[in-house]
Amino acid sequence: MYRGGCLCGAIRFEITGGIRNIIYCHCSRCRKAQGSAFATNGIVESKDFKILSGEKELTGFESSPGQTKYFCRHCGSPMLSKNVTKPEQVRVRLGTIESDIEERPAAHIFVSSKANWEDICGDIPQYDAYEPDR
Ligand SMILES: [Zn+2]
Ligand SMILES: [Zn+2]
């Protein structure tokens, strides 16, 4: 069981299952959405993701057709994204999870559009676009 929430504390959630396909995404849209060099996202089954409080504070922006990025309307913390074609899963922003997590990132993606000031470190695979099994 993992617990997390936004910066101001209005939104609290728990994850009762595992997290899979954790990736660092360096694409320009993720960089803007996070205000940082990359986004770190993992897939959680929708049935395993529960908002405990503050659901009405969660607001979204449809960043591409069918894909909505959700954030806290008070503090702006990026929380998760959903795609209408995959209602069975949510893509959680790992920085919002407060528990230690057991899973580990599997890849860096969209390294072809990374910020020119970023040096990627570590041994996990790097891909110019999506990872092969997407
Ligand atoms: Zn908040
Ligand atoms: Zn991205």
Side-chain angles (χ1 to χ4, degrees):
M1 160 109 60
Y2 298 135
R3 285 259 168 103
C6 65
L7 181 60
C8 77
I11 300 168
R12 304 285 309 160
F13 65 83
E14 72 180 16
I15 296 169
T16 52
I19 305 169
R20 61 188 171 83
N21 295 64
I22 298 173
I23 50 89
Y24 297 112
C25 186
H26 302 259
C27 83
S28 59
R29 289 189 307 197
C30 283
R31 290 194 277 119
K32 289 198 174 188
Q34 311 296 310
S36 189
F38 53 84
T40 312
N41 301 321
I43 294 173
V44 173
E45 298 300 310
S46 298
K47 65 176 174 48
D48 296 335
F49 185 87
K50 190 181 299 175
I51 301 277
L52 301 174
S53 64
E55 186 155 19
K56 69 180 194 310
E57 313 301 344
L58 197 62
T59 189
F61 169 69
E62 191 172 12
S63 57
S64 55
Q67 205 208 10
T68 303
K69 298 180 190 299
Y70 291 90
F71 55 94
C72 174
R73 72 171 76 244
H74 289 292
C75 65
S77 298
M79 306 296 293
L80 57 105
S81 66
K82 292 183 188 178
N83 195 307
V84 292
T85 65
K86 293 177 182 167
E88 72 285 357
Q89 68 184 40
V90 297
R91 200 171 281 275
V92 178
R93 284 35 181 156
L94 256 63
T96 62
I97 297 173
E98 294 153 11
S99 318
D100 289 338
I101 73 165
E102 292 169 19
E103 298 88 349
R104 289 293 175 264
H108 294 272
I109 66 171
F110 288 95
V111 297
S112 57
S113 50
K114 76 175 182 68
N116 74 340
W117 45 266
E118 187 196 8
D119 292 318
I120 299 175
C121 303
D123 297 328
I124 61 174
Q126 300 184 15
Y127 301 105
D128 280 342
Y130 285 118
E131 70 274 32
D133 56 340
R134 173 88 51 129

